[in-house]
Every structure is written in C-alpha cells, then in structure tokens.
C-alpha cells in the first residue's frame, strides 16, 4: 500500500511541471490570439479606409463624367434648337415668298381677264 501511495505521489509530483506548462501554453495561445485579433482589426480598418477612398474617387469620376455628358447634351440641344429655328425661319420665308408670288400671279391672272 505504501508503494502505491509513493507511486501516486511521485506521479503527481512529476506531472506538476506538465500541468504548469499547459497553463503557460494556454497563456501563450491566448496572447497569440489577442495579437491576431488586433492585427485583424488593424487590417480591416486599413481595408475599409482604402475601400472608402476608392469609392470616393469613383464617385468623383462618375460625377465629373456626368457633368461633362450633361454639358455636351445641353450644348447639342442648343445647337439643334438653333438649327431648327433657323430652318423654320427659312421655310417660313420661302412659304411667305411663295404665297406672295402666287397671290401676285392670281391677281395678275384675274386682272388680265
């Protein structure tokens, strides 16, 4: 019986350093996971900032492109309107001149009879 108690105590005594190592191993793992978490947060923050900056640049480029497209559309519309107006004025003048000539011809024809 004494031998069994001595063996148990010896085993317990010999296992203490191993148990102590497990705690230090757990502490090291805990520290490593804490550092990994901090690195992940930092990388995530940097990624967010880069994404935000890229989005802002894309928005600015889109806005600038839209403004240029609007200006070009407006300019084209104005030129189209001017051309239409000018064409309409010429057509009106030609119609008026034709009507006057037709009226004069009709008056002349009626007067000749």
């Amino acid at each position: 019986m004494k031998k069994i108690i001595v063996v148990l105590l010896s085993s317990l005594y010999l296992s203490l350093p191993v148990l102590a190592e497990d705690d230090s191993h757990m502490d090291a793992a805990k520290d490593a996971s804490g550092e990994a978490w901090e690195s992940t947060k930092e990388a995530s923050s940097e990624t967010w900032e880069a994404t935000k900056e890229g989005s802002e640049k894309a928005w600015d480029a889109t806005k600038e492109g839209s403004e240029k497209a609007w200006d070009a559309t407006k300019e084209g519309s104005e030129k189209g309107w001017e051309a239409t107006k000018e064409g309409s004025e010429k057509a009106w003048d030609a119609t008026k001149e034709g009507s006057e000539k037709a009226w004069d011809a009709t008056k002349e024809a009626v007067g000749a009879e």
Side-chain angles (χ1 to χ4, degrees):
M1 180 77 151
K2 283 184 179 183
K3 284 185 179 183
I4 294 174
I5 293 174
V6 169
V7 169
L8 286 175
L9 288 175
S10 297
S11 296
L12 182 61
Y13 178 75
L14 291 174
S15 66
L16 284 177
V18 172
L19 292 174
E21 280 184 31
D22 285 346
D23 286 345
S24 67
H25 178 69
M26 292 300 288
D27 290 340
K30 185 178 172 184
D31 290 343
S33 70
E35 289 173 15
W37 173 246
E38 289 302 317
S39 295
T40 302
K41 283 192 326 187
E42 185 178 320
S44 177
S45 177
E46 289 172 4
T47 301
W48 169 248
E49 287 301 318
T51 301
K52 194 169 86 168
E53 183 179 328
S55 295
E56 288 170 353
K57 286 181 180 178
W59 170 249
D60 289 344
T62 301
K63 197 167 88 171
E64 183 179 329
S66 294
E67 288 170 355
K68 287 180 180 177
W70 171 249
D71 289 345
T73 302
K74 194 169 118 180
E75 183 180 337
S77 294
E78 288 170 354
K79 286 181 179 178
W81 171 247
E82 288 300 318
T84 301
K85 196 167 86 170
E86 185 179 324
S88 293
E89 288 171 355
K90 286 181 180 178
W92 173 250
D93 290 344
T95 302
K96 192 169 130 182
E97 185 179 331
S99 291
E100 289 172 354
K101 285 182 180 178
W103 176 248
D104 290 344
T106 301
K107 281 193 318 187
E108 193 175 304
V110 170
E113 286 180 15

